Amino acid sequence: PPGSAAFTISVARWSGADLSEVNAPVIDAAVGLTKRFQLSATIPHVVGGADDTRPGGGWGTSYFSGKVALLDDSDGSGVKLALSPVLEMLGAAAVQSLPEGESRYQVGLPVSIEVTRGAVRMFGAAGLFSRGAWFAGGGVGFPLTPRMGTSMSFTRSWAQTDVEGVHRNRSEISGGVYCFVKPQIAVYGSLGHTIATS
């Protein structure tokens, strides 16, 4: 709603092959400006990784987005639809791996849908980034108790490289659990795993 805000702080670690990275804190914030428009940002701080040749600290890849509600469930249908243009700003370590002259900024255009049926929430998103990467995914969330709930999702991203038409793709599954310790404060944990990549 207009004038309301959400703030999340978390710690994240990812690893794959011989690389890993720890982000602490990861700051997420969103604020409602009008009934159908909000601004949000995700800004991680990198504290370390497995690659000693890259900087161990500083701000990581950050995302700044606006969210426009195309359908807002005001008719009681349980269906929400949104367009969320996003600006990605690569962190220092990611910039080092870019080809010379390539920008650290790219723009994404996701479309997301949410359908609520009773206590069950189904969601999905699809879109593209300006460097030619596409993505799609979906999931489901539902309560376990009045104060605790869970969600599970599947995502896939793919792109064509400039090297001999080689295609890259990645699929991931993830799941999480949240618990409200107070009506406006929740704690959560999540885990994801890449299940297919090329």
Side-chain angles (χ1 to χ4, degrees):
S4 66
F7 179 77
T8 304
I9 188 165
S10 59
V11 174
R13 181 184 186 275
W14 63 261
S15 63
D18 296 327
L19 296 176
S20 67
E21 186 173 285
V22 176
N23 298 317
V26 180
I27 298 169
D28 287 284
V31 60
L33 298 182
T34 71
K35 184 180 177 183
R36 290 180 175 259
F37 182 68
Q38 76 175 34
L39 291 176
S40 63
T42 299
I43 305 171
H45 183 260
V46 180
V47 294
D51 186 349
D52 294 332
T53 66
R54 294 186 176 185
W59 298 109
T61 297
S62 301
Y63 298 88
F64 305 90
S65 67
K67 188 174 186 180
V68 181
L70 304 176
L71 294 174
D72 65 356
D73 190 27
S74 56
D75 60 357
S77 65
V79 177
K80 299 177 184 178
L81 183 69
L83 185 65
S84 307
V86 60
L87 172 68
E88 178 190 61
M89 184 174 73
L90 295 178
V95 168
Q96 288 184 356
S97 64
L98 287 177
E100 189 173 338
E102 190 165 332
S103 173
R104 74 185 302 173
Y105 301 97
Q106 70 171 325
V107 176
L109 193 59
V111 176
S112 58
I113 187 168
E114 178 181 313
V115 179
T116 303
R117 291 293 180 260
V120 177
R121 184 175 61 94
M122 296 164 284
F123 52 90
L128 69 133
F129 275 93
S130 54
R131 286 196 186 97
W134 291 79
F135 61 91
V140 61
F142 51 89
L144 299 172
T145 72
R147 292 174 53 187
M148 182 179 280
T150 187
S151 64
M152 295 164 281
S153 65
F154 171 82
T155 59
R156 181 174 184 266
S157 58
W158 63 97
Q160 181 171 323
T161 69
D162 295 330
V163 182
E164 300 175 2
V166 173
H167 291 272
R168 294 183 295 165
N169 68 80
R170 185 169 80 183
S171 298
E172 295 182 336
I173 55 171
S174 62
V177 176
Y178 65 86
C179 178
F180 281 93
V181 293
K182 289 189 175 181
Q184 293 182 315
I185 300 175
V187 294
Y188 71 94
S190 63
L191 204 58
H193 193 274
T194 302
I195 57 173
T197 186
S198 65

